[in-house]
Structure formats: structure tokens, C-alpha cells
Amino acid sequence: MGKPTGFLEITRHDHGYAPVEERIKHFRDFVVSLPEPQVREQAARCMDCGIPYCHRGCPVHNIIPDWNDLVYRGQWREALEVLHSTNNFPEFTGRICPAPCEASCTLNFNDQPVTIKDIECAIIDKGWAEGWVTPQIAAHRTGKRVAIVGSGPAGLACAQQLARAGHRVVVFEKNDRIGGLLRYGIPDFKLETWLIDRRLAQMQAEGVEFRPNSHVGGADLPARQLLTEFDAVVLAGGSEQPRDLPVPGRELRGIHYAMDFLTQQNRRVAGQKVSSERSVLATGRHVVVIGGGDTGSDCVGTSIRQGARSVTQLEIMPQPPAQENKLLTWPNWPLKLRTSTSHEEGCARDWAVTTQAFVGDAGQLRAIRLARVEWQAVKGRQTMVEVPGSSFEIPADLVLLAMGFVHPVREGLLQDLGVGLDGRGNVRASEQDYQTSLNKVFSAGDMRRGQSLVVWAIREGRQCARAVDEFLMGRSELPT
């Protein structure tokens, strides 16, 4: 694959970014992509490693060595066909996926993995620019109708696959615009919404019908109504119940869930009005983000762009090592210190701290009381222990809780249907047929597997589409 000696002759070269002082002034994309000759040069580094661990590490099983080789040889259109054969939305994953494929790359053993994510993004961007991405309209219609609840990456992938199989697909979305967390949750500086709209236009041309402002399980649209109107129903509503932090002072003004904060900024960028009474802004505030994951990082970047006085991100776990032990972790996803572009823009980070209380005056948050913790092995399990006398306070007049999501929201849709749940509170359905405890009701994405990555959502949406197609028709030619 690629140039036989490419990995020996060519070093890894990533895309660049606009300077920090420029990019924090706006919410637009700030990636500086490599020119085409350099992308081909990077693709040449893909070695004939025998076992493509990158393919194993990618949840949608992208056929990475093949399209790397095609890019190296200048066969871009063929590379796009290979890329689209496993991934409906590479323009999304090429921008916001953490790239487990690169962690699994054989060259990562020497910290020089192929720039797979950059190459993926270059392929799809060139495909759109050249007009190669066109609607794939089904040659025949089955007469079957499928309802998909939720328009995030799982719902959209499932909808596109089923429409191409000839079914009439209707996507229901409770928000005013289609896209789920792709639109209302991921900052525009990571994924601009015109990329979503462009793909939605293709799907509409393929026959997918979108119904925003349709809250299934709400007062105007009973969930069971779908069971009478459609031949199959797919639940792809995501995992939206945030993890709370019930410590003294939680009732103070100035403490908000991260997703409420991020969604508001998405709406502002889109030119929508946000009620002044509900508005959450970091401007001029001491912001503390609790949670060290991607959502927390997004809160950091958004707070900086809003003009926060200071931004601190806290994590209850110990600080990870700067470099993983490859002999122990490769080709699996390693635990290591990760510094995002938002962190580089100006953020204090602290690890192994727990929140003891929120402190305020007259109902308004002014500080947060923390304590150091140690993680000790107790009966074979890691247990958190507070360090005696380690309490301290830091100023905070805006706290953003970014500690993940525990399970789907149960009120409304899931309760109305009476669908079975697993031990973690997610919709119970297997990866074999994606069927829930109810006849003709399926589930995919975060609503089924729990909070996860966009690439996992796309994989589940595609696999669920095949299961639905087989359920409706007795057989399916959709890919697994």
C-alpha cells in the first residue's frame, strides 16, 4: 500500500491551525489544510503492514489502506467510492472523530502514524468540490414506511441507508432544525453547520423526509401513534440525561449543564434568539468546567471565545501520562494526556480533585470548594479517597457540568412505548438485530449503547438499517 519505502522516507506532517490570537475572535473553522501534493505524500506513508490494525481500530471499519493507496496514486474519485462504502458522513468524522484508527496504525508504534483523519477529510472535501457527491436514488420503491426518532449521526445514517434501499423514511426531530448533537452540541469552530445542511440536501433528494419541531412522546405526538402509521420505528434519540453533581450549593445561580451552554452558543451563531432570562454567557466570568472529556474541552473553547475572565477545567481522575507504554496498549486506544486546540487557547487544568461544595452569596455562585483525592486499590478496585486537609477554594461565578450522560431521557418517548431497558438504563437491543422488546421497534446509537463517539453512532445507524431492511423484506443487500 502506498509507496513501499514511503514510511521510511517521509515524516508525518499534520494540518495546521490559525494562530490562537486570531481564531478566538470567531466561531468558524480554523484548520489550515495541507495542499493536495502534501496529502498524497502523507498517503504514501501507508505501509503494507499485512494486518491493517487501523481497519480494526475504526468502528465503521473504513478500508483505510485502500483509499490511502488510491490517494497516493491520484485516484481521488475511486478513493471517495471506497470511503463512502463504509461511512455515510466522512466530512463529519474527518473533523470531529478522535481518530482511533491512527492510534491503531502500525506506524504509531514509533509515534508516527499515518495522517488518516486528514486524508479522509481531504477525500470527501475534494469529492464535494468536484461534484462527485450526488444523490443515490433507489431504483425501486418497496412501499414500506420507516419512522426514525432522532436526527443525530445514528438516525441520519440509518435514514440514508434505508432510503437507498427503497423505503419511505421519515425522520422526526424535537428541535427546530435537523442534526441532533451535530448541530446543537458541537461548536461551530469544530463543525460548521453548512456541512450538515449540504448532506441533508442530498438525503432529501434521495427521498428522506425531515420533520423538525416534532417531539415524539410529547403532548402533540404520542409515541404509539408511530406504531400504527409505520411499518418499523427506529429509536435513535441519543443519551441526553446529564450526570449531575449533588453537593451543597448546587441550587446556586451560575451552575449549568454543559450541553445547555453549548446549545445556546450554536443558536447564537445560527442567528437565533436566546431568551435573556435563560441566557448563559461566560463573558467576564471566572469559568470552571467540571469534566475532562471532549464536551468539557468544547466548553473551554466556547468560554474563551465569549470573553471569559478565566477558564479552569477540573478532572476527578489523576493526570494521565504524557506518553503511553506502547508495549502495553498498542493497537488499542491508549490512556494518555491529550491537549486539545481549546486547551492551547488558554486554560488552567487540574487533576485528581473532587468538588466538596459550591459557595455563594445571596443565591449567586462565587467560588467552588475542592479537595485533592488519591486513587487506591481496595479489594482489587480503584477507590477514591480524599486527602485530609487538602481543601481549597477557587473563584467561580459560572460552573459548567461536563461529566457525561448517564442514559437516555426516559420521560415521554421511552415511557410511552414501555420499551425494555438494560442494566445501565439504555434501550435494550442487541448488536445482531437491533430489535427492542417491542415488535417492529429498533434502536441504535447512544440511546442503545450509551454515550459514545460519532463514528460509533454512524456504525450503529448503518447496521440498524440493514436489520430493519431484513425485517421488512426478509433479506437485505445493505452492507453490514
Side-chain angles (χ1 to χ4, degrees):
M1 294 299 169
K3 185 179 181 181
T5 56
F7 71 99
L8 296 172
E9 301 168 4
I10 305 166
T11 58
R12 175 183 168 99
H13 186 44
D14 292 282
H15 64 259
Y17 300 105
V20 170
E21 60 272 17
E22 293 180 10
R23 71 193 194 220
I24 63 173
K25 297 176 182 178
H26 60 77
F27 282 86
R28 299 184 302 276
D29 183 14
F30 53 84
V31 169
V32 180
S33 301
L34 294 178
E36 183 174 315
Q38 290 190 34
V39 175
R40 292 182 60 185
E41 185 178 61
Q42 289 300 303
R45 299 184 63 246
C46 186
M47 60 189 295
D48 189 4
C49 56
I51 300 175
Y53 289 101
C54 58
H55 178 76
R56 169 186 176 274
C58 174
V60 295
H61 299 317
N62 276 330
I63 311 171
I64 295 164
D66 291 36
W67 45 255
N68 277 340
D69 183 60
L70 290 166
V71 167
Y72 163 60
R73 300 179 189 283
Q75 298 173 319
W76 289 88
R77 189 159 191 169
E78 292 81 358
L80 180 65
E81 291 175 1
V82 175
L83 177 56
H84 264 149
S85 70
T86 58
N87 187 351
N88 294 68
F89 313 123
E91 64 269 41
F92 303 159
T93 55
R95 286 171 168 83
I96 61 176
C97 179
C101 53
E102 293 189 19
S104 296
C105 176
T106 300
L107 291 176
N108 187 42
F109 206 79
N110 293 323
D111 295 316
Q112 289 285 308
V114 175
T115 56
I116 298 169
K117 185 175 173 180
D118 278 359
I119 298 168
E120 175 184 20
C121 206
I123 294 170
I124 184 58
D125 286 353
K126 186 174 181 64
W128 281 109
E130 297 291 338
W132 298 334
V133 184
T134 57
Q136 298 182 29
I137 300 172
H140 69 280
R141 294 294 174 185
T142 65
K144 303 292 186 180
R145 302 178 75 236
V146 182
I148 296 179
V149 183
S151 67
L156 292 180
C158 188
Q160 185 165 60
Q161 293 295 96
L162 288 170
R164 290 175 175 177
H167 306 301
R168 182 185 171 190
V169 182
V170 180
V171 177
F172 295 86
E173 169 58 53
K174 65 181 178 182
N175 286 308
D176 57 342
R177 299 187 185 186
I178 300 296
L181 287 184
L182 293 171
R183 186 178 298 276
Y184 292 129
I186 296 175
D188 290 71
F189 57 79
K190 289 176 64 176
L191 181 68
E192 295 188 4
T193 54
W194 65 268
L195 294 163
I196 305 170
D197 295 333
R198 183 175 62 180
R199 187 61 80 167
L200 296 180
Q202 180 202 33
M203 294 177 63
Q204 285 179 308
E206 292 171 346
V208 177
E209 178 184 349
F210 294 113
R211 295 187 189 176
N213 293 311
S214 299
H215 191 176
V216 180
D220 299 328
L221 186 53
R224 289 197 166 268
Q225 180 179 325
L226 301 186
L227 301 181
T228 61
E229 296 183 4
F230 293 88
D231 299 294
V233 175
V234 177
L235 308 180
S239 179
E240 295 186 319
Q241 187 66 50
R243 181 173 283 106
D244 203 354
L245 187 57
V247 299
R250 175 62 178 86
E251 74 286 351
L252 292 170
R253 296 188 303 274
I255 305 170
H256 302 271
Y257 289 119
M259 203 51 63
D260 295 337
F261 172 71
L262 295 173
T263 298
Q264 283 192 6
Q265 186 56 43
N266 286 125
R267 293 186 182 279
R268 292 189 190 96
V269 173
Q272 299 173 256
K273 291 184 178 180
V274 175
S275 169
S276 58
E277 295 180 357
R278 297 178 56 251
S279 181
V280 183
L281 284 168
T283 310
R285 294 187 173 187
H286 293 292
V287 179
V288 175
V289 180
I290 301 179
D294 289 339
T295 300
S297 172
D298 293 344
C299 288
V300 169
T302 300
S303 297
I304 291 170
R305 283 161 177 77
Q306 289 184 357
R309 188 174 176 182
S310 68
V311 183
T312 304
Q313 187 176 21
L314 306 177
E315 170 59 59
I316 199 169
M317 300 301 294
Q319 180 173 343
Q323 181 65 48
E324 73 272 28
N325 185 334
K326 294 286 175 47
L327 291 175
L328 293 177
T329 62
W330 183 86
N332 296 317
W333 182 254
L335 175 66
K336 60 186 285 188
L337 179 63
R338 303 178 191 276
T339 300
S340 72
T341 56
S342 292
H343 294 140
E344 294 170 350
E345 292 165 359
C347 168
R349 304 167 75 182
D350 203 351
W351 286 266
V353 290
T354 186
T355 302
Q356 292 184 323
F358 299 113
V359 182
D361 295 317
Q364 175 62 46
L365 177 72
R366 67 167 177 81
I368 180 171
R369 186 180 305 130
L370 307 168
R372 300 290 174 188
V373 299
E374 293 179 347
W375 289 86
Q376 302 174 357
V378 178
K379 296 182 179 180
R381 298 183 61 182
Q382 288 295 311
T383 302
M384 183 187 75
V385 179
E386 284 192 19
V387 177
S390 65
S391 295
F392 64 102
E393 286 189 8
I394 61 174
D397 40 24
L398 175 60
V399 166
L400 301 173
L401 304 179
M403 303 176 295
F405 301 85
V406 291
H407 50 65
V409 175
R410 295 167 183 166
E411 294 76 14
L413 172 65
L414 300 185
Q415 285 186 350
D416 287 358
L417 288 176
V419 67
L421 305 177
D422 64 17
R424 297 183 298 155
N426 301 317
V427 176
R428 189 174 71 246
S430 74
E431 284 189 88
Q432 282 67 51
D433 59 16
Y434 288 87
Q435 289 208 45
T436 70
S437 58
L438 300 179
N439 181 43
K440 76 177 186 180
V441 178
F442 299 76
S443 185
D446 289 4
M447 184 168 270
R448 189 202 73 85
R449 68 177 292 114
Q451 178 189 1
S452 191
L453 304 175
V454 61
V455 69
W456 274 106
I458 293 172
R459 168 183 170 162
E460 294 222 345
R462 288 171 60 89
Q463 291 184 332
C464 182
R466 178 182 171 88
V468 172
D469 188 38
E470 190 170 0
F471 169 79
L472 294 174
M473 308 304 295
R475 55 187 295 271
S476 178
E477 296 181 357
L478 290 174
T480 55

